[in-house]
Amino acid sequence: MKYNRRNNKEEHRQMRAPVYEALETLKRKRVVPFDVPGHKRGRGNPELVELLGEKCVSLDVNSMKPLDNLCHPVSVIKEAEELAAEAFRAEHAFFMVGGTTSSVQGMVLSCCKAGDKIILPRNVHKSVINALVLCGAIPVYVNPERDVRLGISLGMERFEVEKAIKENPDAVAVLVNNPTYYGICSDLRAIVKLAHEHNMLVLVDEAHGTHLYFGENLPVCAMDAGADMASVSMHKSGGSLTQSSLLLTGKNVNWEYVSQVINLTQTTSASYLLISSLDISRRNLALRGRESFAKVSQMAEYAREEINSIGGYYAYGKDMINGSSVYDFDVTKLSIYTRDIGLAGIEVYDLLRDEYDIQIELGDVANILAYISIGDRIQDIERLVGALADIKRLYSKKPEEMPSMEYIEPTVVMSPQTAFYSKKESLPIQKTEGRICSEFVMCYPPGIPILAPGERITKEIIEYIMYAKEKGCSMQGTMDSEVEYLNVLV
């Protein structure tokens, strides 16, 4: 089911922004604050007012009866969440202020406990494996097919999911990345049907899929596919403030229990700047999202054609669809393979920023991603295309000088929780071959672990880490801030 025009009654409701309206009412009353935050509407911190503006700082307020409370909404936040659920075609929607990390962890923690199995692809965001460390669930990895040339993981294939389900009938859930950072989509409807036939929940990390609920001719969104829960990064393609997100639940989920799980880790001092940005952005998408994302798709497709015409780059898109490992492709994702001009993605990423004042989303060892969304303009696309042409002309090298690199499938020896809390020692990375890792190693973004706790370290993985470091990837996850040592099990 694709986006349908709302009836007049629904559209009228979607024009409301209850939290924003309550904040405006509070501001007009000129209430004297004897509560936190201590900057007292900015009066105690003039430098903060100068940086962020008087209106922004004056709306940085604490929970109070007229503004409701995110931990137990009963009035304006409750109404705002109901409007979000309606807009996203969910049974319930939670406003999340800890980023989509908190939303993903809320999904996993609400359906998994210690010893439970969860079926998932290995190319998950670190937040998923962090949740497994917290709850003690056991991952059953469906290692997706890899595109050797691009060096990226593709989608979960139906027959691989079916095989994992049959081999692990006691698993409680299947988690799917849809779409991936690079725009790859799995056959979500088929996976949902298969999981539900075996009484398993389906959780969707939809961090990069806010627009799927509002655009046309885009891959199916989680709620329309029948998924039970979905984590949606409103701040990515939806226009809200950084760190604001949604957790959506379907009809088969006890949302009251999910609320209790969220409150295990959710802050009791939720930012009304973030909450109101979710409220306003939902309204914007509900009223104007269809038109906005049609323009986004057109801009991304135009950029793709122009970049491919330069030569040497490969801006991939719907041409990758094969009906299985790439069931569909999100055309708003402008993912570009760079190694045919002899440069790693991270090198092009750095050149764009340092030489052309263009900040893109990520660069890995083989690709870059330019995130196209509702705030972009065609002149910005033209500037990016021109810069890429310039980089090819001025900085390209012979492709054969690049070492062969691709996604490396890890060997899982034990659960993330067991490995993370086990006795460990720190060794230079070059001396860890054959040992079991007890921490994370990843390039960020995208935040997909090269190594996770409980995985065996191989020569290929060590070479990959060293190469990524050499090329300038931002490495994270290790206790050693320089990523020269790794913690391994004793």
Side-chain angles (χ1 to χ4, degrees):
M1 185 176 89
K2 291 295 183 181
Y3 177 90
N4 295 317
R5 286 194 179 277
R6 302 180 185 279
N7 61 43
N8 290 337
K9 187 176 179 181
E10 286 179 330
E11 196 162 277
H12 179 72
R13 283 200 303 271
Q14 290 297 323
M15 293 174 70
R16 293 286 316 284
V19 178
Y20 169 74
E21 293 160 9
L23 284 169
E24 287 285 275
T25 299
L26 178 72
K27 186 172 174 59
R28 286 195 299 269
K29 288 185 175 180
R30 302 174 66 86
V31 173
V32 178
F34 282 103
D35 60 351
V36 297
H39 61 67
K40 300 299 176 83
R41 314 293 195 264
R43 292 196 300 270
N45 195 339
E47 291 90 350
L48 189 64
V49 176
E50 185 177 350
L51 175 65
L52 299 179
E54 185 275 332
K55 184 165 187 178
C56 177
V57 178
S58 71
L59 294 178
D60 180 35
V61 295
N62 193 28
S63 295
M64 59 186 76
K65 281 188 177 182
L67 297 181
D68 210 353
N69 190 302
L70 188 61
C71 294
H72 189 82
V74 295
S75 58
V76 293
I77 294 178
K78 180 175 183 288
E79 185 182 353
E81 289 183 334
E82 289 170 351
L83 289 168
E86 180 182 277
F88 283 82
R89 303 186 287 286
E91 289 294 309
H92 195 87
F94 293 95
F95 282 6
M96 307 295 291
V97 296
T100 308
T101 288
S102 64
S103 184
V104 167
Q105 292 178 348
M107 289 196 308
V108 175
L109 295 175
S110 64
C111 70
C112 295
K113 60 182 184 300
D116 283 346
K117 293 179 183 177
I118 179 170
I119 297 168
L120 66 163
R122 173 55 179 76
N123 62 317
V124 292
H125 188 264
K126 67 173 184 176
S127 58
V128 177
I129 301 177
N130 283 343
L132 303 185
V133 170
L134 293 174
C135 71
I138 310 298
V140 176
Y141 290 125
V142 176
N143 285 314
E145 182 184 330
R146 302 183 301 279
D147 188 299
V148 175
R149 178 192 177 199
L150 302 180
I152 64 172
S153 294
L154 303 179
M156 294 173 79
E157 297 191 65
R158 187 189 185 283
F159 75 91
E160 291 285 2
V161 175
E162 186 172 20
K163 180 173 179 285
I165 287 174
K166 288 180 177 178
E167 291 176 355
N168 301 273
D170 53 340
V172 298
V174 178
L175 186 142
V176 188
N177 298 329
N178 206 76
T180 70
Y181 225 137
Y182 301 94
I184 307 297
C185 295
S186 303
D187 188 353
L188 191 55
R189 280 196 175 98
I191 292 171
V192 168
K193 184 175 184 293
L194 186 62
H196 286 175
E197 286 172 352
H198 292 82
N199 299 313
M200 297 180 189
L201 296 174
V202 177
L203 319 179
V204 182
D205 182 346
E206 209 168 26
H208 300 280
T210 305
H211 51 289
L212 302 186
Y213 290 87
F214 304 96
E216 291 186 316
N217 303 313
L218 292 174
V220 67
C221 62
M223 290 295 106
D224 285 353
D228 300 290
M229 304 177 77
S231 297
V232 179
S233 272
M234 279 287 278
H235 72 92
K236 289 187 170 72
S237 60
S240 64
L241 290 178
T242 296
Q243 202 174 308
S244 58
S245 181
L246 294 176
L247 174 53
L248 307 177
T249 61
K251 60 184 177 182
N252 297 320
V253 174
N254 181 344
W255 70 265
E256 292 95 338
Y257 175 69
V258 175
S259 177
Q260 287 187 311
V261 171
I262 288 171
N263 283 333
L264 293 175
T265 56
Q266 176 102 295
T267 178
T268 55
S269 303
S271 166
Y272 276 88
L273 299 176
L274 299 180
I275 295 171
S276 60
S277 82
L278 284 168
D279 196 22
I280 295 166
S281 299
R282 179 272 313 154
R283 179 174 66 180
N284 180 49
L285 295 181
L287 299 180
R288 293 174 284 275
R290 185 186 188 195
E291 177 186 352
S292 297
F293 290 120
K295 291 179 180 177
V296 170
S297 296
Q298 290 167 6
M299 283 192 293
E301 290 284 42
Y302 169 73
R304 192 171 283 111
E305 291 173 7
E306 291 294 302
I307 291 166
N308 284 332
S309 71
I310 295 171
Y313 296 105
Y314 172 38
Y316 38 102
K318 282 187 172 289
D319 55 300
M320 290 190 68
I321 295 174
N322 57 24
S324 54
S325 58
V326 187
Y327 184 79
D328 206 347
F329 188 87
D330 174 11
V331 296
T332 72
K333 299 292 187 296
L334 185 57
S335 305
I336 306 161
Y337 177 72
T338 66
R339 284 182 54 186
D340 283 346
I341 67 166
L343 296 175
I346 188 64
E347 292 176 301
V348 176
Y349 171 98
D350 287 339
L351 284 167
L352 284 169
R353 182 193 61 245
D354 297 340
E355 302 299 328
Y356 299 90
D357 295 327
I358 295 174
Q359 180 63 58
I360 58 173
E361 176 67 12
L362 74 82
D364 62 22
V365 296
N367 307 272
I368 59 173
L369 171 65
Y371 214 97
I372 313 295
S373 195
I374 56 179
D376 287 298
R377 305 167 300 171
I378 195 66
Q379 55 262 46
D380 300 323
I381 301 292
E382 298 282 8
R383 183 172 169 183
L384 173 64
V385 172
L388 289 173
D390 217 32
I391 288 171
K392 181 195 172 187
R393 180 173 60 85
L394 296 174
Y395 300 98
S396 61
K397 304 173 186 175
K398 292 181 179 180
E400 56 267 25
E401 294 177 1
M402 302 282 288
S404 177
M405 285 289 166
E406 61 182 73
Y407 174 83
I408 301 169
E409 186 175 308
T411 300
V412 180
V413 180
M414 63 180 65
S415 77
Q417 186 183 65
T418 300
F420 187 83
Y421 290 110
S422 292
K423 188 175 181 181
K424 62 201 74 173
E425 63 178 337
S426 181
L427 293 177
I429 289 179
Q430 294 89 338
K431 296 183 178 180
T432 59
E433 183 180 348
R435 303 293 290 271
I436 299 171
C437 191
S438 70
E439 59 184 349
F440 292 92
V441 186
M442 71 199 78
C443 300
Y444 197 92
I448 298 167
I450 301 168
L451 273 172
E455 296 176 354
R456 192 174 301 282
I457 304 168
T458 64
K459 179 182 177 182
E460 291 75 20
I461 289 173
I462 293 171
E463 289 175 350
Y464 188 98
I465 292 170
M466 301 307 294
Y467 177 75
K469 282 184 61 181
E470 176 193 336
K471 290 299 179 183
C473 291
S474 175
M475 308 298 291
Q476 296 186 13
T478 55
M479 188 178 295
D480 172 28
S481 62
E482 301 299 320
V483 197
E484 293 177 353
Y485 287 78
L486 285 183
N487 284 337
V488 295
L489 268 62
V490 175

